[in-house]
Amino acid sequence: MSEPKPLPFSAPLQGISEKTIAIHHDKLYVGYVNKKNEIAEKLKTLSHGGDVSTANQTYSELRALKTDETFAINGVYLHEGYFDLLGGDGKPSGVLLDALTEKYGSLDNFLNYFNACGMAARGWVVLAWDTREQTLRIFTADAHNQGGVWGALPVIILDVYEHAYFIDYGSDRKAYIADYWKNFNWAKANELFSKAVGCRL
Ligand code: FE
């Protein structure tokens, strides 16, 4: 059973209201944690001698649980990664800044591309470390369990679902993404990146 993690920051954010964060964290994120636990409980029964004889690729209880298991787990992990990187001062620094500059030519190039990916996605844009090819990649996802690649470790995670910004920005996702970077915690992103680059598959 996993427990919801508390918000890792307390100060109000720039642009993104406390109301948005409260709904996003306390209702939506906590809802994913609860469903993750509910699914895990049911799968535990099935994986410990339960009746799996009806397993079927068109529809079966096992199929529904296995599909929604990845949706719920990624819903939890992606949101935790998103909240973890908010509450910072937005000043770019450190080894991640160096790596982005090297990979994309400049921080501005990276930001232009990453932000555009955020406009092109329906759910998430993620900068991840590919542990096989030892390189940074940007993925877009239209659902929690779609769009990523196995063996890649998320470093920067941005939620671009409408619930993340509509109360504060209406349909102006661009303004929300711009404010995301004003609240970005580069120190934490550098910690994550430093751990990720040590991983090789
Ligand atoms: Fe969300």
Side-chain angles (χ1 to χ4, degrees):
M1 287 297 195
S2 50
E3 291 288 323
K5 290 190 180 168
L7 274 176
F9 55 89
S10 53
L13 300 175
Q14 292 189 60
I16 306 167
S17 66
E18 288 181 51
K19 183 180 177 183
T20 291
I21 293 293
I23 294 170
H24 205 171
H25 178 275
D26 302 349
K27 301 284 181 197
L28 300 176
Y29 160 66
V30 171
Y32 288 124
V33 175
N34 291 337
K35 281 294 172 191
K36 173 178 178 287
N37 289 336
E38 184 183 335
I39 292 165
E41 197 65 27
K42 290 186 174 173
L43 286 172
K44 192 175 178 190
T45 304
L46 292 179
S47 63
H48 286 67
D51 180 7
V52 288
S53 61
T54 57
N56 179 283
Q57 64 172 350
T58 304
Y59 168 73
S60 60
E61 185 191 13
L62 183 57
R63 179 181 165 76
L65 286 167
K66 291 309 287 179
T67 302
D68 295 337
E69 179 186 31
T70 54
F71 189 85
I73 293 175
N74 282 344
V76 171
Y77 292 175
L78 287 165
H79 278 101
E80 288 176 353
Y82 169 70
F83 291 128
D84 270 350
L85 291 172
L86 289 174
D89 64 9
K91 286 184 190 144
S93 64
V95 284
L96 179 57
L97 172 61
D98 295 342
L100 292 171
T101 305
E102 190 188 327
K103 166 96 186 181
Y104 296 97
S106 69
L107 179 64
D108 277 348
N109 284 352
F110 162 72
L111 290 172
N112 284 337
Y113 178 53
F114 184 92
N115 293 356
C117 290
M119 296 301 292
R122 295 175 190 157
W124 299 95
V125 54
V126 175
L127 174 82
W129 178 252
D130 184 329
T131 58
R132 289 182 184 274
E133 297 195 359
Q134 299 285 287
T135 191
L136 286 165
R137 297 189 188 284
I138 294 173
F139 301 118
T140 58
D142 292 341
H144 309 329
N145 55 355
Q146 177 275 329
V149 163
W150 289 3
L153 303 172
V155 176
I156 296 177
I157 299 174
L158 172 58
D159 190 336
V160 293
Y161 280 103
E162 271 118 8
H163 63 242
Y165 63 88
F166 222 82
I167 291 173
D168 305 317
Y169 301 89
S171 61
D172 192 355
R173 189 190 290 184
K174 234 180 209 171
Y176 158 68
I177 293 176
D179 279 354
Y180 168 77
W181 291 110
K182 291 180 193 164
N183 295 293
F184 190 74
N185 190 331
W186 281 91
K188 279 202 187 162
N190 278 311
E191 270 176 44
L192 264 177
F193 178 65
S194 298
K195 283 187 204 164
V197 289
C199 295
R200 179 185 285 274
L201 283 184

